[in-house]
Amino acid sequence: MKIVLAPMEGVVDHLMRDMLTRVGGFDLCITEFVRVVEQLLPAKTFYRLCPELLNGAVTSSGVPVRVQLLGQHPQWLAENAVRAVELGSPGIDLNFGCPAKTVNKSKGGAVLLKEPETLYQIIKAVRDAVPKDQPVSAKIRLGFDDTSLVLENVDAITQAGADLLTVHARTKADGYRPPAYWEWIAKIKEVTDIPIIANGEIWNADDAKLCQQRSGCENLMIGRGALAMPNLAQTIKNNHAPMSWQQTKELLVSYSGYEIYSDKGRYYPNRIKQWFNYLKRQYPEAETMFVELKKFKNADDIVRILAA
């Protein structure tokens, strides 16, 4: 079984990737998307979103990190894919799943699920440009407004030569509302020979098993669930017990040191509060602590509460 850490814009940055891969259980990370418009981006753009490129494209615990691109222009995506691989990215991931309105309005992310031909052209251009030994993966949802084009989209992705496909088992219209329709992934597997990774609504080891049963996929991608339970990947893969609240608090204090002394330190109070919104799902204690913590805007005060 392989478990991939999902890309989550503004949440799973290099600090979070480092923290969660230290906890263990992950085999691959995908970066937040690099937005491609009509230019070849400078190396500094890739280093900003994926500083692991300066360290062999792996986290400090040795987990590979793959650059994700988002855009609508096949040739520009291909040129930027080549640059990312030249900088060290172990392959390229293409984002066709982002549901954000601002992204979709500029014809990026999930809105392209309305255009199977565009999916084909993008993936083919990137696959043709990137060396054959570097995988080209894609992430999709089941559709934009509905599932009417999902099998056509998967066929376009297959014919274009993608090496791997991650399916978030909801449409853009579904957003992140439960449930995830894992049964659709089993239908997708019937029409393609591309390896599939299942994604969506995996919060614990039981969810993972049910997803695997209904989707027919052994390999999984987890995102929000790993924020709610930091050792979720270990509970799924190695039958570890869920991390205790005390262990989680210690992890939060450690993460605080990362955040405060990074170049994003000024955002620390908002970032830690954002993480608590996920932790509250798994730990009742997080709800109680959040009531006290949310009043503070100073990093020292927040760390004092965490460490108490």
Side-chain angles (χ1 to χ4, degrees):
M1 183 198 316
K2 302 293 184 185
I3 299 182
V4 181
L5 179 58
M8 297 176 64
E9 186 190 8
V11 181
V12 181
D13 60 5
H14 68 284
L15 299 175
M16 186 66 76
R17 290 193 293 269
D18 187 57
M19 181 66 63
L20 292 176
T21 56
R22 283 174 186 260
V23 174
F26 291 102
D27 299 281
L28 177 69
C29 301
I30 307 294
T31 69
E32 303 166 89
F33 64 74
V34 176
R35 184 75 166 97
V36 175
V37 186
E38 295 182 339
Q39 61 176 323
L40 177 60
L41 295 167
K44 66 180 181 181
T45 299
F46 294 93
Y47 291 140
R48 178 172 56 83
L49 284 171
C50 186
E52 294 97 337
L53 292 171
L54 298 169
N55 184 46
V58 297
T59 66
S60 63
S61 53
V63 177
V65 182
R66 181 176 298 164
V67 170
Q68 184 183 80
L69 303 180
L70 178 147
Q72 60 170 303
H73 302 292
Q75 192 54 43
W76 286 116
L77 284 162
E79 291 191 29
N80 281 280
V82 170
R83 171 151 290 177
V85 169
E86 288 176 346
L87 293 173
S89 177
I92 292 295
D93 191 67
L94 295 166
N95 181 323
F96 303 115
C98 180
K101 289 182 180 180
T102 53
V103 170
N104 293 166
K105 282 181 180 178
S106 57
K107 207 174 179 184
V111 73
L112 293 175
L113 298 174
K114 295 180 177 182
E115 304 179 17
E117 177 61 24
T118 303
L119 296 185
Y120 173 85
Q121 294 297 338
I122 288 172
I123 293 171
K124 187 174 189 308
V126 172
R127 179 65 281 175
D128 288 348
V130 170
K132 297 300 181 186
D133 62 340
Q134 298 292 335
V136 173
S137 55
K139 187 179 184 207
I140 65 169
R141 285 175 172 253
L142 296 178
F144 193 79
D145 296 312
D146 54 47
T147 60
S148 60
L149 289 176
V150 62
L151 298 184
E152 187 174 348
N153 283 332
V154 171
D155 182 64
I157 291 166
T158 304
Q159 297 304 320
D163 300 288
L164 182 69
L165 177 62
T166 299
V167 180
H168 182 152
R170 286 182 272 231
T171 65
K172 185 271 181 189
D174 292 330
Y176 293 97
R177 294 188 304 274
Y181 301 96
W182 297 321
E183 298 85 354
W184 259 107
I185 301 178
K187 296 178 184 178
I188 288 170
K189 283 174 62 68
E190 294 176 0
V191 300
T192 184
D193 57 1
I194 297 175
I196 305 292
I197 296 175
N199 173 234
E201 213 61 23
I202 299 171
W203 297 98
N204 53 52
D206 288 341
D207 289 340
K209 291 174 184 175
L210 190 58
C211 174
Q212 289 171 322
Q213 292 169 5
R214 293 184 179 176
S215 68
C217 288
E218 181 181 29
N219 299 326
L220 305 172
M221 175 179 280
I222 57 176
R224 294 179 302 150
L227 295 173
M229 185 198 300
N231 73 330
L232 176 59
Q234 291 283 33
T235 71
I236 295 169
K237 184 184 287 184
N238 298 314
N239 297 314
H240 287 195
M243 186 177 283
S244 70
W245 176 238
Q246 182 59 38
Q247 291 172 313
T248 302
K249 281 206 303 176
E250 292 169 2
L251 189 69
L252 287 167
V253 172
S254 178
Y255 173 78
S256 298
Y258 277 33
E259 275 281 351
I260 292 168
Y261 296 107
S262 78
D263 58 353
K264 297 182 179 180
R266 63 187 181 278
Y267 303 121
Y268 165 75
N270 289 333
R271 292 295 299 273
I272 204 75
K273 292 172 187 178
Q274 182 183 46
W275 195 357
F276 261 80
N277 281 322
Y278 293 103
L279 291 169
K280 288 188 293 184
R281 182 183 179 106
Q282 180 67 27
Y283 302 99
E285 301 93 333
E287 180 79 56
T288 303
M289 181 172 282
F290 184 65
V291 172
E292 183 178 6
L293 178 146
K294 68 181 181 181
K295 298 181 291 187
F296 295 101
K297 297 181 180 180
N298 181 278
D300 290 340
D301 291 328
I302 292 172
V303 173
R304 175 176 51 79
I305 293 169
L306 294 174

